[in-house]
């Protein structure tokens, strides 16, 4: 079974939601038969690539609240994060364009390091004092921490076209599936779960999707014919 998760590194509920989903998956009986794929979704694709801004003033402007109220909102998210064993800085964080991070996540997917990289990026953005949006050197450092080759990561970041189509394709697909926000979970292209749901809700979704998988139906009347398998290929009839 495949689970696809649309997320953005700038999204705190994606950070919390992944932790909750991981807990549900860890306790799932068929864990070893579930493939998890992280898909790209930018909360603000129009954010200037070279502009990094503090989170609290941005939240205050966006929601028409005071910065003190923005701090309180961040503290509530921090409480949810702490309940999942996550560190969360309520002040001093910033926001930047996440497109290059998504491109690196597609690189990581090719090397089987996507899960590791998204965890590193989340931690850098939400828990560490040093910004995740310092530029190319910082992203290369984080990619290497996740087990990617630093030189390859730097090469990808130097070419704005590398994996750009893959990121945009993910975003188009999210729109086609009806995702208007993240995190957004799709199980076997049959079930959708929106938001950072409780662990039990993710567990139930996994069990339901697994129970209702459609088994392969062979064509009626078709007989076994020549094929190749682990033990070799069928030999031609000598007659």
């Amino acid at each position: 079974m495949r689970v696809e998760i649309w997320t953005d590194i700038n999204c705190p509920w994606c950070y919390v939601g992944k932790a909750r989903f991981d807990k549900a998956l860890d306790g799932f009986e068929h864990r070893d038969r579930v493939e998890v794929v992280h898909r790209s979704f930018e909360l603000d694709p129009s954010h200037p690539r070279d502009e990094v801004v503090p989170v609290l003033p941005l939240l205050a402007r966006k929601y028409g609240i005071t910065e003190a109220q923005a701090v309180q909102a961040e503290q509530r998210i921090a409480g949810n994060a702490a309940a999942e064993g996550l560190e969360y800085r309520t002040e001093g964080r910033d926001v930047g364009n996440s497109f290059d991070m998504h491109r690196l996540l597609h690189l990581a997917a090719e090397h089987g390091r996507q899960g590791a990289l998204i965890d590193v990026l989340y931690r850098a953005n939400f828990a560490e004092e040093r910004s995740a949006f310092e530029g190319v050197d910082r992203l290369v450092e984080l990619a290497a921490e996740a087990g990617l080759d630093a030189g390859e990561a730097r090469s990808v970041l130097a070419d704005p076209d590398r994996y750009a189509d893959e990121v945009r394709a993910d975003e188009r697909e999210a729109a086609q599936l009806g995702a208007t926000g993240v995190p957004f979970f799709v199980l076997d292209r049959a079930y959708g779960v929106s938001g950072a749901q409780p662990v039990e809700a993710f567990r139930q979704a996994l069990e339901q999707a697994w129970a209702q998988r459609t088994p392969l139906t062979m064509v009626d009347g078709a007989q076994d014919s020549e094929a190749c398998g682990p033990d070799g290929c069928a030999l031609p009839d000598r007659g």
Side-chain angles (χ1 to χ4, degrees), residues 2-6 35-39 109 114 170:
R2 170 180 281 197
V3 178
E4 297 163 277
I5 311 174
W6 273 263
E35 177 192 12
V36 178
V37 179
H38 295 279
R39 300 294 192 190
Q114 196 180 42
D170 279 356

Side-chain angles (χ1 to χ4, degrees), residues 10 47 51-62 67 70 74 89-96 125 131 133:
N10 281 310
H47 191 103
E51 181 180 287
V52 179
V53 298
V55 167
L56 294 176
L58 179 68
L59 291 177
R61 289 194 303 271
K62 182 175 182 179
E67 287 197 28
E74 285 286 275
R89 295 180 65 217
T90 58
E91 298 185 55
R93 290 195 305 106
D94 51 27
V95 173
N125 191 34
S131 174
F133 295 97

Side-chain angles (χ1 to χ4, degrees), residues 11-185:
C11 168
W13 289 116
C14 294
Y15 179 47
V16 174
K18 182 181 184 300
R20 291 175 178 172
F21 175 79
D22 286 348
K23 287 183 179 180
L25 187 60
D26 286 343
F28 184 53
E29 180 182 359
H30 307 287
R31 168 67 184 91
D32 60 342
R33 297 180 64 186
V34 177
E35 177 192 12
V36 178
V37 179
H38 295 279
R39 300 294 192 190
S40 301
F41 189 108
E42 295 171 276
L43 289 176
D44 184 6
S46 66
H47 191 103
R49 299 288 290 272
D50 58 351
E51 181 180 287
V52 179
V53 298
V55 167
L56 294 176
L58 179 68
L59 291 177
R61 289 194 303 271
K62 182 175 182 179
Y63 296 107
I65 59 178
T66 66
E67 287 197 28
Q69 290 172 317
V71 170
Q72 291 175 352
E74 285 286 275
Q75 288 173 341
R76 287 192 290 272
I77 297 176
N80 281 270
E84 307 306 331
L86 301 173
E87 295 182 34
Y88 190 96
R89 295 180 65 217
T90 58
E91 298 185 55
R93 290 195 305 106
D94 51 27
V95 173
N97 186 291
S98 59
F99 191 71
D100 283 343
M101 293 178 174
H102 287 295
R103 294 199 298 122
L104 284 179
L105 284 167
H106 278 278
L107 168 67
E110 293 188 353
H111 294 280
R113 304 302 300 168
Q114 196 180 42
L117 180 58
I118 201 166
D119 283 339
V120 167
L121 292 172
Y122 278 147
R123 188 178 68 248
N125 191 34
F126 293 109
E128 297 180 358
E129 290 189 14
R130 187 179 172 192
S131 174
F133 295 97
E134 286 186 359
V136 170
D137 288 346
R138 176 63 164 151
L139 287 180
V140 170
E141 174 187 308
L142 294 173
E145 185 178 339
L148 294 175
D149 179 79
E152 187 175 13
R154 190 177 295 278
S155 176
V156 167
L157 294 171
D159 181 354
D161 293 329
R162 292 278 300 277
Y163 302 105
D165 288 344
E166 288 82 347
V167 173
R168 297 306 185 205
D170 279 356
E171 294 174 338
R172 287 194 300 270
E173 197 164 18
Q176 292 167 359
L177 291 169
T180 57
V182 286
F184 187 71
F185 302 76

